[in-house]
Amino acid sequence: MSGKTKGWAVLGRWVAIIGGLVGATAAAADDLARAYALALDQDPTWVEAQARYAEVLADQELARAGYHPVLTLAGRATANHREVDGEFFGLDNLNRDDDFEALSYAIALRQPLLRLDRWRARDVAALRSGAALARLHAAESDLMLRVAEAYFAALDAEQDLEVFRAELQAIAERADQIREQTRLELATRAGQSEADAQRELAQARLLRARQALDTSRAELALLTGQLATGLARVPLSRALPPVEPANQQDWVEQARSSNPMLVAARLESEVAGRQVDVQRAARWPTVDLIAQREYLDNSGGVTGAREDSEDLIGLELRLSLFDGGEARARTSAAMARYQQALARQARALRQAEFDALRAYSALELGQAQIEALQAARGATYDAVEATEGGVFAGTRTAVDLVQSLRERFDAERALSRAIHAYLLNSLRLQAAAGTLGVDDLMAVNRLLSD
């Protein structure tokens, strides 16, 4: 398969992915798969990345064209008026004017035989195509992460709204009970005031949650082009996949070899190095095979009506003797760009290692945090039951019960956010290692439920 065919096959793969994802989720609620399918079609950053890759493929064809034959055709049909007064090709005292038509054409073939700079530029174009493909893969991973981050941010906001709504309902019901108990002189005015204050605070939290949900949904719509509602979520009791391999250094080594941004930086530094050779090769002589035919048909003129034709074939040698220092300046600029590319490669290596280390550490911490929050969540349910019993027995106050309810809701929120963060960090780790693909995103999607 040629480089061009392979390149367009890569772009065509996204069309199949979009169709498959949309078809698989058309009848389902808004979930991660559907959001990603929409983003593949709607996200401007991803569309720009695809167009940039297509541009590099076209540049590669342009570089190949530098060694292809060039065939040109030129023709003229003119009406002429010529005046001659004086000597003309050995004829003295010639005084003549004439009107005539002329028809001419020329066809020329040029085949480069020795163009060392173009030959090296063709190799550079192939390397640049590989770097562009790596950047396209990086853009794909980035799109997956941006969709997942926006999706889980919207899901967090959606669940926050539900939690705050349930919290307000529970606090409001308890405040109404205290109000009734105060009326029956079974509770104090201070207890009623405290309960009313808690209800107003809960109402304020609910309003902020609504605003946060609207904002997060709008941010997801920036990627998908559609406003999502009713997102599928991860059940709090769902078992999460472990980190495999469970060795931080293995992930770092994988990132050093396969991180797409690092792969692109390595290829781009090699491209920059080869560009130095291209500029040096531009000083070398060039040899072209040339063939040409010229034809002229004059209907008149000083020399009279005539037909001329000329055919030639041969080799053409060109050597630049002095260019004002242009070649040297171009070579120096190419060397400076090569040093810049090496610096970017070093930075990309450090960034890949850092991203892998950070994501793996976050996963380890997230796993422990989820286990702790699951235990805390169960404890808060027990605490609410115990506080309710204490209120009934008169050993605890209504304020204590409101606080217990809030702690239960906070534990629910914290656990949900920890699960989402764990899944996001698993995707970030695979992205840093250069192994993130659509199958990995779909594996996370399968953890969701309507």
Side-chain angles (χ1 to χ4, degrees):
M1 181 182 292
S2 69
K4 181 178 180 181
T5 304
K6 184 185 297 183
W8 288 110
V10 171
L11 293 179
R13 181 165 65 94
W14 310 119
V15 177
I17 291 175
I18 293 172
L21 292 176
V22 171
T25 60
D30 286 329
D31 60 6
L32 192 56
R34 179 170 177 78
Y36 180 62
L38 292 172
L40 279 174
D41 187 52
Q42 297 291 330
D43 179 56
T45 303
W46 171 244
V47 173
E48 180 186 359
Q50 289 178 291
R52 191 180 300 113
Y53 179 61
E55 177 188 5
V56 174
L57 291 181
D59 287 342
Q60 187 176 11
E61 288 301 304
L62 182 62
R64 290 195 185 103
Y67 251 89
H68 292 171
V70 178
L71 184 65
T72 59
L73 174 65
R76 297 177 64 185
T78 61
N80 305 280
H81 174 76
R82 175 175 291 176
E83 296 181 2
V84 179
D85 186 6
E87 184 179 353
F88 183 78
F89 286 99
L91 299 177
D92 296 328
N93 301 320
L94 185 65
N95 186 1
R96 179 177 177 178
D97 64 272
D98 196 5
D99 294 311
F100 62 95
E101 290 79 34
L103 175 67
S104 66
Y105 72 85
I107 183 169
L109 172 69
R110 180 180 294 272
Q111 171 62 60
L113 298 180
L114 178 60
R115 295 287 186 104
L116 189 58
D117 57 337
R118 293 186 182 181
W119 188 267
R120 290 178 176 176
R122 188 175 65 173
D123 295 337
V124 168
L127 287 172
R128 184 179 284 116
S129 176
L133 181 59
R135 288 200 173 273
L136 185 66
H137 289 159
E140 178 195 11
S141 297
D142 177 67
L143 179 63
M144 292 183 194
L145 289 178
R146 287 187 291 119
V147 169
E149 288 167 356
Y151 181 90
F152 283 118
L155 191 55
D156 284 338
E158 193 175 272
Q159 292 179 327
D160 284 351
L161 181 63
E162 293 181 3
V163 166
F164 287 130
R165 184 180 289 123
E167 179 187 53
L168 175 60
Q169 181 180 354
I171 291 175
E173 289 176 356
R174 191 57 191 163
D176 291 340
Q177 292 175 4
I178 294 175
R179 182 178 296 277
E180 180 63 22
Q181 291 173 357
T182 302
R183 188 182 66 81
L184 299 175
E185 298 183 352
L186 298 177
T188 64
R189 291 285 182 182
Q192 178 184 332
S193 299
E194 180 68 23
D196 290 340
Q198 292 294 334
R199 176 164 54 186
E200 295 303 322
L201 290 172
Q203 180 67 40
R205 285 193 291 270
L206 180 62
L207 293 175
R208 286 196 300 269
R210 284 175 179 166
Q211 182 183 13
L213 177 58
D214 291 341
T215 301
S216 59
R217 283 177 174 173
E219 290 175 348
L220 181 58
L222 286 175
L223 301 174
T224 63
Q226 294 185 13
L227 198 61
T229 58
L231 301 176
R233 60 192 57 187
V234 183
L236 297 181
S237 58
R238 182 65 54 87
L240 300 178
V243 184
E244 292 181 358
N247 186 296
Q248 187 180 67
Q249 193 58 34
D250 289 344
W251 287 101
V252 173
E253 291 298 329
Q254 180 68 32
R256 287 170 181 160
S257 63
S258 303
N259 180 274
M261 292 300 292
L262 179 55
V263 171
R266 284 173 177 154
L267 289 172
E268 287 166 355
S269 65
E270 188 173 353
V271 165
R274 297 284 187 92
Q275 285 287 12
V276 176
D277 296 335
V278 171
Q279 297 303 325
R280 287 172 175 164
R283 305 177 185 177
W284 286 58
T286 64
V287 178
D288 294 343
L289 171 67
I290 58 173
Q292 182 173 313
R293 175 178 175 79
E294 293 182 348
Y295 172 80
L296 171 66
D297 182 2
N298 261 358
S299 64
V302 176
T303 58
R306 75 183 194 280
E307 291 185 21
D308 292 340
S309 64
E310 181 181 10
D311 299 323
L312 66 87
I313 185 171
L315 298 176
E316 181 181 274
L317 171 67
R318 290 189 180 188
L319 175 62
S320 175
L321 298 179
F322 180 71
D323 62 1
E326 179 181 352
R328 180 180 298 174
R330 289 182 180 275
T331 301
S332 298
M335 293 178 66
R337 286 191 291 270
Y338 178 51
Q339 294 300 320
Q340 295 173 37
L342 289 177
R344 287 193 294 269
Q345 178 183 335
R347 183 170 63 244
L349 173 60
R350 295 178 186 178
Q351 188 66 49
E353 293 173 342
F354 172 75
D355 290 343
L357 288 169
R358 179 177 59 180
Y360 188 88
S361 298
L363 275 175
E364 282 190 324
L365 179 62
Q367 202 167 24
Q369 187 180 24
I370 288 172
E371 293 174 358
L373 288 172
Q374 285 173 337
R377 175 173 172 256
T380 59
Y381 273 85
D382 295 338
V384 169
E385 292 181 3
T387 305
E388 287 177 341
V391 171
F392 182 77
T395 59
R396 305 292 296 273
T397 66
V399 175
D400 295 332
L401 180 57
V402 169
Q403 183 62 32
S404 295
L405 288 170
R406 180 174 294 111
E407 290 174 355
R408 191 189 77 183
F409 291 131
D410 287 344
E412 295 273 358
R413 291 176 58 231
L415 178 58
S416 176
R417 286 177 177 269
I419 290 174
H420 297 166
Y422 180 87
L423 295 175
L424 280 174
N425 284 319
S426 70
L427 296 176
R428 291 180 183 125
L429 180 60
Q430 293 173 87
T435 61
L436 180 62
V438 176
D439 291 342
D440 302 306
L441 193 69
M442 295 306 100
V444 172
N445 189 69
R446 285 191 291 271
L447 297 173
L448 307 176
S449 61
D450 297 343

